[in-house]
Amino acid sequence: MSSELLDALTALEKQKGISRDVLMEAIEAALVTAYKRNFNQAQNVRVDINLANGSMLVYSRKDVVEEVSDSRLEISLEDAQAINPHYALGDVVEEEVTPRNFGRIAAQTAKQVVTQRVREAERGLIYEEYVDREDDIVNGIVERLDARNIYVGLGKVEAVLPVNEQIPTETYRPHDRIKVYITKVERTTRGPQVFVSRTHPGLLRRLFEMEVPEIFEGIVEIKSIAREAGDRSKISVFAHNDEIDPVGSCVGAKGARVQTIVNELSGEKIDIVEWSEDPVVFVANALSPSKVLDVQVNEEEKSTTVVVPDYQLSLAIGKRGQNARLAAKLTGWKIDIKSETDARELGIYPNENSPQLIVEELENDMDDFDFYKDEE
């Protein structure tokens, strides 16, 4: 019995990664349950397993009291001292009560309980593994779909991709391989529940960390992200070394780096702009690819008035106001866009009290990348 038990514990420890102590506790709890269930005993008992000789002994445990109210749980001081004169009030008296056929019955019942405890321990290990991976990106395989959710296999666990976390322009089919972002891990009675997303801005951040070594190494920092998943995103970056071009690092040679991310997100357009602590410069950059003539800042209301050339107005605003909306999210500033003609009529441009911002045209090779263009 002892060698078989030892072999089983060793195998489970290696295969499931569950410590022997956890398994021993599960077995002892199972034997206590088996004893009480099969022998109609309500007394307090303890099971001792001796791995050296394979014995399993049951001991009743009774508290030493002055007056006994329940003989199954208590023993009088007089009776306790009859067993051992050193017993005092409050001590616990143990007496072996192992039934003759306990081994066979216990083994049957213990198997079920141990299996359950092992399953719970496995779930606990899986929970600990994935709760540490919250806010991280993982590869998964689409396993099944229902009316609202998509279930993605991550290996040891099946994650839920809710409908509001799915990119509207994407179609998911069983066996598709996709990258997902872990947003939340919950412990439930049925095991750990993992929730993932394809729309979270964190997914875009992790993809850039994977594709751009300068970001992964901390040379280039992602300052902010504004995303409308499946359609368009803006990301602001900053280089701690003046000799590093943060935007160029993210774009890559001939746009290779950012194009890999665009492909992963099913063609989602990505504008990469340089971050600046000066809101005038940052807001102008954020409205890329539109040219900006002037940015007037209201610090109290955290708002800006931006003047753009007449022919650039629709480009600055974007389809359904998307470019301006994303720029506002990216910078954290309210943005009111005026055409040059309207600004002159209102007398706010040119304004002697606000500096004029001259924005240089983008490099010619940037025009080759579709993800920097916006249809008017």
Side-chain angles (χ1 to χ4, degrees), residues 19-253:
S19 70
R20 184 176 300 185
D21 292 339
V22 171
L23 293 170
M24 285 298 297
E25 290 177 5
I27 293 172
E28 290 175 358
L31 296 180
V32 170
T33 301
Y35 174 78
K36 292 183 176 181
R37 180 182 302 169
N38 289 278
F39 297 96
N40 296 320
Q41 296 293 330
Q43 65 197 74
N44 186 17
V45 297
R46 175 181 70 85
V47 174
D48 179 68
I49 301 175
N50 190 326
L51 292 177
N53 56 27
S55 64
M56 295 181 296
L57 302 178
V58 182
Y59 293 90
S60 67
R61 294 170 55 85
K62 296 182 179 181
D63 297 326
V64 179
V65 296
E66 288 186 357
E67 185 175 345
V68 177
S69 59
D70 189 338
S71 60
R72 296 171 302 178
L73 304 175
E74 300 170 337
I75 186 173
S76 67
L77 178 61
E78 182 180 353
D79 291 341
Q81 290 181 339
I83 299 173
N84 188 326
H86 297 292
Y87 278 126
L89 291 175
D91 288 345
V92 176
V93 176
E94 290 192 346
E95 180 182 3
E96 185 187 344
V97 292
T98 309
R100 183 174 300 176
N101 61 342
F102 178 67
R104 178 181 59 82
I105 297 173
Q108 295 173 351
T109 307
K111 182 178 179 181
Q112 299 176 354
V113 179
V114 169
T115 300
Q116 179 62 27
R117 290 292 295 273
V118 169
R119 187 180 297 116
E120 291 173 357
E122 286 180 325
R123 289 172 176 172
L125 291 173
I126 294 173
Y127 173 80
E128 294 299 331
E129 176 183 349
Y130 283 95
V131 76
D132 290 338
R133 301 191 70 180
E134 280 188 357
D135 303 324
D136 199 1
I137 189 172
V138 293
N139 292 308
I141 299 176
V142 176
E143 293 187 344
R144 55 193 178 92
L145 302 82
D146 61 22
R148 293 182 58 82
N149 300 324
I150 293 173
Y151 299 90
V152 182
L154 303 182
K156 295 180 180 179
V157 70
E158 187 179 69
V160 178
L161 179 61
V163 64
N164 61 321
E165 299 290 348
Q166 300 167 23
I167 296 178
T169 56
E170 287 186 336
T171 301
Y172 306 94
R173 298 180 180 85
H175 310 300
D176 283 352
R177 293 182 177 272
I178 58 174
K179 286 183 172 65
V180 292
Y181 181 80
I182 298 178
T183 57
K184 182 171 59 175
V185 180
E186 294 181 348
R187 193 192 297 270
T188 69
T189 55
R190 300 181 62 182
Q193 182 68 74
V194 180
F195 294 91
V196 295
S197 172
R198 287 278 293 171
T199 63
H200 198 284
L203 176 64
L204 190 58
R205 180 183 294 273
R206 295 301 186 194
L207 287 172
F208 270 97
E209 290 175 352
M210 292 172 61
E211 294 296 331
V212 183
E214 290 85 350
I215 293 178
F216 181 79
E217 295 169 3
I219 300 172
V220 174
E221 180 183 354
I222 297 176
K223 286 291 190 176
S224 58
I225 296 175
R227 187 179 182 204
E228 294 187 1
D231 195 356
R232 189 171 186 173
S233 297
K234 286 181 180 286
I235 178 172
S236 68
V237 292
F238 174 75
H240 297 280
N241 187 336
D242 292 339
E243 297 180 358
I244 301 295
D245 176 12
V247 175
S249 298
C250 296
V251 172

